[in-house]
Amino acid sequence: MTEHIKTERKDGIFTLTFARPDKKNALTNAMYGVLADALIAAETDPAARVIVLRGEGDMFTSGNDVGEFAAIAAGAVQGERHVSRFIRALAQSTRPLVAAVQGRAVGVGTTMLLHCDFVVLAENALLSTPFVNLALVPEAASTLLMPLRIGHARAYEMFTLGDAMDANTAKDLGIANRVVPLDRLHTEAAGVAARLAKLPAGSLAATKRLMRDAAVLTAQIGAESQCFAERLKTAEAREAFTAFAERRPPDFMKVA
Ligand code: COA
């Protein structure tokens, strides 16, 4: 368990809140564990008709905890890694997933949105996927979903150059449904979730199943995960993680 994920069940809506604002909601193994368990449990919980993902503080999430990446790269981490369970549970969820995003959504913070069925962005939302900047590869089936959603050229640019996309661009390109002022973000997301919760759950699940092939997504996640695990152990990745810890830009040209 971790206090860094808050869960709330009310009126058929299961809300999962990233609650580590002092670290910009960077996601740890323990947090992924709680998120995965919650998504899996929701599948058989009739009271969880809709799932809402949101973050406390000024950001949705700054993505995977980079310190944990570094620890894995150094071989200092043993035991079960929950991130794969979380990503698979997202891809396989039959429940409507609603996201409410303010500020930055980095890495998995953005790729998880590609699994959400309804994405509400605050005007200040900034989506980025700087996987190559960290000498890694994109995950969560985003190598399939992102080019499908926004086209190969834009997806390649996001994955490699890592620049952030603003809220209105994300909406125009079909990553998000709505852009609202920051102070209306959670009300808007809650309103959408409440509408979805009143719809016939069986019909929602069947519609979602027809719209996305969980088996194809899971296979893509498998291929990405293997490559990601290999990349974590490279000298390039070590340079990226060291640079983050030392608060300096990485210098990949010095890596042989
Ligand atoms: N992993 C671990 N710690 C993180 C983190 C992450 N992904 N993102 C932020 N933090 C920590 C910072 O190290 C800092 O900790 P400290 O107060 O102990 O020094 C704290 O959260 C606040 O972050 P800071 O960088 O000061 O905030 P900012 O508003 O200036 O910048 C970001 C926010 C998200 C732009 C910046 O923190 C960042 O680039 N983080 C890394 C994002 C990333 O590469 N994620 C992985 C993607 S695959």
Side-chain angles (χ1 to χ4, degrees):
M1 284 306 286
T2 167
E3 76 279 16
H4 292 143
I5 298 293
K6 291 184 183 162
T7 60
E8 188 198 33
R9 274 190 182 73
K10 202 172 167 223
D11 300 332
I13 298 164
F14 190 15
T15 302
L16 302 174
T17 304
F18 314 138
R20 198 188 174 208
D22 56 322
K23 296 290 182 188
K24 306 295 180 187
N25 296 329
L27 295 164
T28 61
N29 193 42
M31 292 164 76
Y32 286 126
V34 174
L35 291 168
D37 290 346
L39 289 173
I40 292 164
E43 287 297 301
T44 51
D45 180 356
R49 296 174 68 83
V50 178
I51 297 167
V52 175
L53 294 166
R54 47 179 277 177
E56 278 185 1
D58 63 357
M59 253 175 228
F60 182 61
T61 169
S62 61
N64 200 101
D65 188 294
V66 178
E68 288 200 355
F69 273 159
I72 297 167
V77 171
Q78 306 298 328
E80 190 180 7
R81 305 300 305 154
H82 295 298
V83 61
S84 306
R85 284 203 312 122
F86 167 63
I87 287 172
R88 284 183 168 81
L90 262 185
Q92 292 165 6
S93 174
T94 62
R95 296 292 191 261
L97 301 177
V98 176
V101 179
Q102 80 282 21
R104 285 183 177 270
V106 186
V108 70
T110 286
T111 58
M112 75 172 78
L113 302 181
L114 302 171
H115 295 274
C116 291
D117 303 293
F118 207 104
V119 176
V120 184
L121 301 180
E123 285 166 344
N124 72 349
L126 286 173
L127 314 187
S128 60
T129 51
F131 294 104
V132 172
N133 302 64
L134 282 173
L136 299 170
V137 289
E139 33 63 315
S142 61
T143 51
L144 179 70
L145 293 173
M146 191 70 93
L148 272 178
R149 195 74 69 89
I150 69 174
H152 179 95
R154 290 191 197 91
Y156 184 83
E157 185 169 343
M158 274 194 90
F159 289 148
T160 56
L161 300 188
D163 296 335
M165 177 185 285
D166 66 39
N168 283 313
T169 307
K171 178 170 157 282
D172 291 346
L173 293 177
I175 295 179
N177 299 74
R178 288 187 194 160
V179 178
V180 298
L182 179 59
D183 61 0
R184 282 194 28 227
L185 176 68
H186 295 303
T187 315
E188 186 74 24
V192 170
R195 282 183 67 186
L196 289 168
K198 291 192 184 86
L199 292 171
S203 175
L204 282 170
T207 300
K208 182 161 173 168
R209 228 178 356 256
L210 290 165
M211 287 179 72
R212 42 189 289 125
D213 188 335
V216 170
L217 298 178
T218 304
Q220 190 76 6
I221 289 166
E224 291 168 347
S225 300
Q226 192 178 344
C227 191
F228 198 100
E230 289 163 9
R231 295 293 323 157
L232 273 174
K233 305 227 158 76
T234 59
E236 290 176 347
R238 270 197 303 282
E239 165 58 10
F241 306 148
T242 307
F244 179 76
E246 294 174 356
R247 289 189 166 265
R248 63 169 172 81
D251 181 1
F252 295 118
M253 292 181 74
K254 79 174 183 200
V255 181

